[in-house]
Amino acid sequence: MSFVGMPLEGKKILLVIAGGIAAYKSLDLIRRLRERGAKVRVIMTRAAQEFVTPLAVGAVAGERPFTELFDLSAEFDIGHIRLAREPDLIVVAPATADLMAKMVQGRADDLASTVLLATERRILLAPAMNPAMWNNPATRRNAERLQADGVAFIGPEAGEMAESGERGVGRMSEPLAITAAVEKNLFDLPARDALIGKKILVTSGPTREPIDPVRYISNHSSGKQGHALARMAAQAGAEVVLVSGPVNLPDPSGVKTIHVETAQEMLNASENALPADAAIFAAAVADWRVTQEAAQKMKKQDGKLPVLSFAENPDILATISRHSNLRPRLVIGFAAETEKLIDNARAKLLKKGCDWIVANDVSTGTSTFGGTSNEVHIVTANGVESWPMQSKDAVAAGLVKKIAATLGGAQ
Ligand code: CTP
């Protein structure tokens, strides 16, 4: 049989099955991954074995699942450290509230949690639990923390639970959706020491320009791309300063995050972060601010409409690109365009004086703003590199690798 062209050909997936009724779907997940060419190795927690048997899992996976931390024959044969190191991606499906809590705390009291703590590979969680457990503030906090630590999620979905006809968000994503997420998350992370000794400045999110004490002008930027870049650069060993506008994201792990509101504050914080080896301007800075912010809340005046006057905001990217003595060696801008993407990006490269422009299409129908995927083109003086549609984390990993290659860090 020929496997040529199979999307997961040659990829090694470690599947961790935790204890939940959704574990029955993991059998189908194993089958879907294998029919796409992946080699699947499985760890089952003790609770998982109450829902599906190791025999059934072994039959579908084509090899015995691993169940014990101190299994002498398995330790000599494979060993938990090798289990943690050899896969290209670790998938936890179903991921239970308990296993997520353990991951947040860094606990390692069984084989699954030990491997999850010992690995440097990317981890994809497919949570499944009762809606009340998913909505519990403890689980919300844990999910946020894991995301800020770089763990990827698929689901859970809304719908009827396997148990007792209950409804709400908590259903594990279907095996085919998890398989698609596996394909999206299979990218190489930058080396852990790729940016050691380098300082990187990143701006992220929107800015918020006040009209009066309760109103403001802003935009739909979620900050996902900028935050992913900051996290990825830190994971590659860089000292990272993230200057973030208001976003609904936790501060990334290992990153010094400075919170700002306005473009002027973002400029000040960015200048204060210099010197840096590279600066990445992923923020969607509001182009204009209201000239005179009202000191008190503006009241309705019998149908008379307020007139706002605007002033142009400082261009942070252009200012730092042209900094007389503290210009970072590598200055990277983003370009959000709705038409003539490459032409406009080239013009922006010249106008702003930066080294690269990461151009993306934000026209209607694309889900760049707020979404988790991004199709980017890297425009430099030497030409254009077009990358396929991929997750924002994968874009961040690719950019960090390219930055490391350019700065020539320890490899
Ligand atoms: N940028 C900035 N400061 C501003 C405006 C933009 O630092 N006041 C940066 C953004 O972070 C991004 C790049 O400039 O890296 C391009 O942003 P974009 O909104 O695409 O361009 P604009 O300069 O606003 O140009 P236009 O609105 O005309 O497309």
Side-chain angles (χ1 to χ4, degrees):
M1 187 176 8
S2 157
F3 289 108
V4 175
M6 292 175 104
L8 297 176
E9 206 212 324
K11 297 294 180 197
K12 295 190 193 116
I13 310 290
L14 176 67
L15 173 66
V16 175
I17 306 179
I21 180 71
Y24 77 91
K25 289 198 213 171
S26 308
L27 295 175
D28 189 34
L29 175 61
I30 297 170
R31 196 170 64 86
R32 301 288 184 184
L33 291 169
R34 289 191 73 201
E35 70 190 15
R36 279 161 181 72
K39 178 153 183 6
V40 184
R41 186 147 264 178
V42 184
I43 293 177
M44 300 178 75
T45 63
R46 182 151 301 179
Q49 297 168 55
E50 304 288 338
F51 293 93
V52 283
T53 67
L55 192 65
V57 169
V60 185
E63 68 169 41
R64 191 169 80 89
F66 294 80
T67 51
E68 299 298 329
L69 182 53
F70 301 111
D71 176 337
L72 270 189
S73 59
E75 269 307 299
F76 286 122
D77 195 15
I78 306 268
H80 64 274
I81 296 299
R82 206 172 120 199
L83 277 175
R85 280 192 190 147
E86 68 179 9
D88 297 298
L89 182 73
I90 300 186
V91 182
V92 187
T96 56
D98 180 57
L99 188 54
M100 285 169 55
K102 270 189 183 172
M103 287 173 74
V104 167
Q105 292 180 354
R107 277 167 51 200
D109 59 3
D110 63 3
L111 182 61
S113 52
T114 303
V115 166
L116 288 166
L117 188 65
T119 194
E120 293 188 347
R121 299 288 173 264
R122 205 166 152 69
I123 301 171
L124 171 67
L125 298 189
M129 65 196 74
N130 174 281
M133 290 170 85
W134 178 250
N135 287 323
N136 187 293
T139 311
R140 303 263 41 75
R141 278 196 301 276
N142 290 341
E144 272 202 358
R145 194 62 251 156
L146 290 170
Q147 265 165 323
D149 290 346
V151 173
F153 279 74
I154 166 88
E157 316 289 337
E160 198 155 324
M161 302 293 118
E163 39 167 325
S164 67
E166 244 185 276
R167 298 186 68 81
V169 174
R171 233 180 108 88
M172 186 169 91
S173 298
E174 292 304 319
L176 276 180
I178 300 176
T179 311
V182 166
E183 285 174 27
K184 236 176 64 179
N185 278 284
L186 266 174
F187 55 85
D188 290 333
L189 292 173
R192 292 257 152 184
D193 57 357
L195 285 173
I196 272 183
K198 303 286 187 259
K199 183 171 168 191
I200 313 273
L201 162 68
V202 182
T203 70
S204 182
T207 65
R208 203 177 256 183
E209 310 297 332
I211 297 171
D212 68 15
V214 297
R215 303 182 178 94
Y216 59 81
I217 295 170
S218 192
N219 59 64
H220 288 300
S221 168
S222 66
K224 281 182 191 154
Q225 186 65 78
H227 276 56
L229 273 160
R231 176 168 37 75
M232 213 59 90
Q235 280 174 5
E239 174 192 347
V240 181
V241 178
L242 171 65
V243 181
S244 173
V247 294
N248 276 321
L249 297 171
D251 295 351
S253 301
V255 168
K256 179 176 173 196
T257 306
I258 298 168
H259 297 271
V260 298
E261 297 249 325
T262 66
Q264 188 59 53
E265 288 166 10
M266 189 173 270
L267 174 64
N268 295 344
S270 300
E271 285 187 313
N272 286 339
L274 299 178
D277 296 284
I280 314 169
F281 296 92
V285 184
D287 289 321
W288 305 285
R289 67 178 177 279
V290 175
T291 332
Q292 246 151 16
E293 179 189 349
Q296 306 300 332
K297 182 184 169 196
M298 291 162 66
K299 305 293 281 180
K300 281 201 288 289
Q301 290 176 10
D302 302 324
K304 197 170 155 254
L305 298 175
V307 177
L308 299 178
S309 59
F310 294 94
E312 199 160 302
N313 267 332
D315 191 311
I316 305 167
L317 169 61
T319 308
I320 291 190
S321 283
R322 304 221 154 84
H323 222 281
S324 51
N325 53 342
L326 289 177
R327 184 195 195 273
R329 243 176 79 201
L330 184 59
V331 178
I332 304 168
F334 273 68
E337 305 290 347
T338 57
E339 55 173 2
K340 292 191 257 166
L341 185 63
I342 304 294
D343 286 350
N344 282 336
R346 277 211 182 93
K348 241 168 227 182
L349 188 73
L350 294 177
K351 196 171 113 203
K352 308 230 179 186
C354 56
D355 303 299
W356 306 349
I357 285 278
V358 181
N360 51 23
D361 186 351
V362 291
S363 52
T364 331
T366 64
S367 57
T368 308
F369 266 146
T372 53
S373 296
N374 208 354
E375 183 178 346
V376 301
H377 309 264
I378 320 293
V379 181
T380 71
N382 302 328
V384 183
E385 242 179 68
S386 293
W387 293 358
M389 174 67 87
Q390 52 192 340
S391 68
K392 288 183 177 177
D393 283 355
V395 170
L399 281 170
V400 165
K401 278 190 255 176
K402 198 172 161 65
I403 292 166
T406 306
L407 294 179
Q411 292 285 340

